[in-house]
Amino acid sequence: MGMAQPNANLISSDKVEGTDVYDGSGSKIGEIDHLMIDRVSGMVRYAVMTFGGFLGIGEGEHPLPWKAFRYDTNLGGYVANVTEEQLQNAPEYAGEENWADRDWETRLNKNYGSAPYWEETSTSASTRDESARGW
């Protein structure tokens, strides 16, 4: 019986959680706490990042659109295409109740200069998904 070979482009969510996040200059700004995945499409929509505080005191959770991240193999972590000002001005995150509020999500995406995922055209989204899958 053959053994499945792991695909270098795929990663388990448990490997993403806890991964360091860096700014554009390579300075660590936090880490990924968890991912928010669209139930219907299965696409990752947000990464909830923790940053700030000392010894866990004053640390905050901040969801960022998944499109704001790219993985940097040299750093061994994600680089977030965001500014400190954007992080500080992001709508307050109160947990699960925020995901039921489209207005809150719209403000969140606007803060990061990102179009909300539900405004993406189905054609461009399916083309991108197919490209990512190698179809």
Side-chain angles (χ1 to χ4, degrees):
M1 184 165 169
M3 295 195 54
Q5 296 298 314
N7 182 334
N9 291 325
L10 297 178
I11 186 169
S12 173
S13 62
D14 69 337
K15 301 288 187 213
V16 175
E17 295 166 359
T19 302
D20 291 338
V21 176
Y22 301 88
D23 64 16
S25 66
S27 298
K28 182 180 172 187
I29 58 173
E31 66 182 41
I32 293 177
D33 185 69
H34 61 278
L35 303 175
M36 299 301 296
I37 302 168
D38 184 285
R39 287 181 203 221
V40 176
S41 72
M43 300 294 292
V44 174
R45 298 303 186 186
Y46 301 96
V48 179
M49 191 181 107
T50 57
F51 78 93
F54 178 72
L55 299 176
I57 300 168
E59 185 172 77
E61 289 186 336
H62 301 273
L64 278 79
W66 185 242
K67 294 180 277 185
F69 294 91
R70 69 174 171 76
Y71 189 77
D72 185 308
T73 55
N74 293 324
L75 291 171
Y78 290 92
V79 176
N81 185 24
V82 297
T83 65
E84 183 177 344
E85 182 180 356
Q86 286 174 314
L87 290 172
Q88 291 174 345
N89 293 332
E92 187 173 330
Y93 178 64
E96 293 298 318
E97 60 269 16
N98 288 127
W99 305 118
D101 182 352
R102 268 291 154 87
D103 182 55
W104 179 86
E105 272 191 279
T106 299
R107 290 191 324 263
L108 176 73
N109 281 278
K110 184 177 181 180
N111 181 67
Y112 294 113
S114 176
Y117 64 88
W118 60 87
E119 290 181 359
E120 295 175 359
T121 64
S122 59
T123 303
S124 66
S126 64
T127 302
R128 186 179 54 253
D129 292 348
E130 290 171 6
S131 297
R133 292 183 184 126
W135 294 345

